[in-house]
Amino acid sequence: MEVSLTLPNLLSPQDMFTLLGLIKESRHIVICGHYAPDGDAVGACLGWQSYLYKLGKRAHIVLPNAFPDFLRWLPGSQYITFFSEQAKQAQSLLNEADLIFCLDFSQPQRLQDMASAVFQTKAKKVVFDHHEGLEPTAFDFAISHPTLSSTCEIVFRLIYELGGYEDFTRSGATALYTGLMTDTGNFAYASNRPEIFAVVALLVQKGIERDWIYRKVFNSWSEHRLRLWNYVLDKNLRFYEDHRAAIFTLSREEMKAHKYIRGDAEGLVNEPLKVRGMKLSISLREDTERDIIRVSLRSTNGFHCREMAEKYFNGGGHDDAAGGQLPFPLSEALLTAEKAIVTYAETLRGEMA
Ligand code: 5GP
Ligand code: MN
């Protein structure tokens, strides 16, 4: 059975004209996503690449560094170029480009070391994103919708509006579904708008296998990963009951002991929020490549963590999922996090939403 659905447009007729014009005029297209790319960033890049291919445009995907292992099965992901590993090749693709799509980030700095390689080129830059804090001067054309679930939702809706649905491939649909699923925690948050399910229905109609995708992403753990989570929750997690908050740390040494691979800590920050009454969870993790602490924040029950990420952790993000970084050791990072929750004590202790 075919479902017929209408989705409200994201593009004005003028936007549509501009976007298609940019694509038509370009000869060398690069698509990039943010540092530490997640399911949404990788999925959006692959989905958009697949649409461009049907328009007769071959685009290269260039990411700042590797994505988690649990996304490796994504069709087409084996052809992605990583700036961290293939700097020369990435740089030459970027230098050649006349059009660069920036997906799932709104500020050049979210590319870390790759920022100047992208933003110093002459290429036109187009951004599709769902984060707050768009730096409009960095881009020539922007589709920014902070109320939407994911960049994959935006990319799908753009393809649909531009008339690309009929020819859209099952692999493209699989990539976009993956990002929609990961950015909403399998539709557990940021997923109250009915359009999301219209998008899902249209993706399912392309033949994607939702249950299989779920298992590939969420149920493909190593034993080490399971034991690492168990260890952190047992040994490193502190609850601050008075503040309805929890903080945990994870050091390089502990990661090494658990044979950590990229992505093993993904989602761990959500665990403390399973405890009744919690509003905030903070993860402080030593970066495996640089001497910084990677900070992840998640909030629920009416507390919003983005402002805290901006003020205390040099970061930002969404209302209930934000992150940042600190340039000092884990022990000091812990003090900063404790200071942050004390500052927000009133809202944290206040009524549950
Ligand atoms: P995660 O905790 O999964 O690394 O990040 C959650 C969200 O926080 C991301 O979707 C992103 O919006 C935001 N985020 C993470 N790190 C940073 C950062 O360093 N700067 C900004 N502006 N946002 C971040
Ligand atoms: Mn996203």
Side-chain angles (χ1 to χ4, degrees), residues 164-213:
Y165 178 69
E166 203 174 327
D167 279 348
F168 197 53
T169 61
R170 183 164 79 142
S171 331
T174 296
L176 294 182
Y177 180 78
T178 300
L180 191 45
M181 180 185 80
T182 53
D183 254 29
T184 58
N186 200 34
F187 310 97
Y189 40 79
S191 47
N192 275 334
R193 286 167 315 99
E195 301 95 282
I196 292 176
F197 299 94
V199 169
V200 171
L202 290 163
L203 290 170
V204 169
Q205 203 154 255
K206 281 286 163 189
I208 64 164
E209 301 202 47
R210 290 181 63 231
D211 304 356
W212 181 83
I213 297 171

Side-chain angles (χ1 to χ4, degrees), residues 38 40-41 104 130-131 150-151 183 318:
D38 57 3
D40 192 30
D104 204 35
H130 71 133
H131 293 96
S150 53
T151 302
D183 254 29
H318 309 282

Side-chain angles (χ1 to χ4, degrees), residues 32 38 40 49 111 261 333:
C32 56
D38 57 3
D40 192 30
Q49 182 186 44
L111 292 178
I261 57 164

Side-chain angles (χ1 to χ4, degrees), residues 110 294-298 305-306 308-310 313-318 321-325:
R110 295 230 45 222
R294 302 196 61 81
V295 184
S296 284
L297 298 102
R298 296 293 184 273
C305 59
R306 174 159 34 94
M308 185 184 274
E310 286 165 359
F313 303 110
N314 309 303
H318 309 282
Q325 45 189 291

Side-chain angles (χ1 to χ4, degrees), residues 25-29 94 96-100 122-124:
E25 284 161 20
S26 64
R27 296 172 52 84
H28 298 280
I29 305 181
L94 289 163
E96 248 178 54
D98 45 18
L99 180 60
I100 301 178
K122 302 180 302 292
K124 292 257 166 62

Side-chain angles (χ1 to χ4, degrees), residues 31-154:
I31 306 172
C32 56
H34 55 79
Y35 184 85
D38 57 3
D40 192 30
V42 182
C45 290
L46 290 166
W48 188 242
Q49 182 186 44
S50 164
Y51 166 71
L52 293 175
Y53 190 81
K54 288 283 175 184
L55 289 184
K57 301 280 179 180
R58 265 170 207 264
H60 290 276
I61 301 175
V62 178
L63 294 173
N65 63 342
F67 52 77
D69 251 40
F70 60 75
L71 296 172
R72 257 201 225 180
W73 57 273
L74 274 168
S77 66
Q78 66 273 36
Y79 305 116
I80 294 176
T81 304
F82 300 98
F83 185 81
S84 57
E85 289 156 26
Q86 303 145 278
K88 262 198 182 152
Q89 197 186 333
Q91 185 75 64
S92 82
L93 287 169
L94 289 163
N95 288 343
E96 248 178 54
D98 45 18
L99 180 60
I100 301 178
F101 286 99
C102 298
L103 307 191
D104 204 35
F105 67 99
S106 286
Q107 301 143 348
Q109 82 215 35
R110 295 230 45 222
L111 292 178
Q112 304 273 2
D113 299 347
M114 196 172 95
S116 58
V118 168
F119 286 90
Q120 280 173 10
T121 65
K122 302 180 302 292
K124 292 257 166 62
K125 282 119 207 150
V126 172
V127 55
F128 304 153
D129 189 30
H130 71 133
H131 293 96
E132 298 275 356
L134 173 71
E135 267 179 41
T137 52
F139 304 98
D140 299 280
F141 182 77
I143 301 291
S144 166
H145 288 280
T147 57
L148 298 190
S149 64
S150 53
T151 302
C152 282
E153 179 186 347
I154 296 176

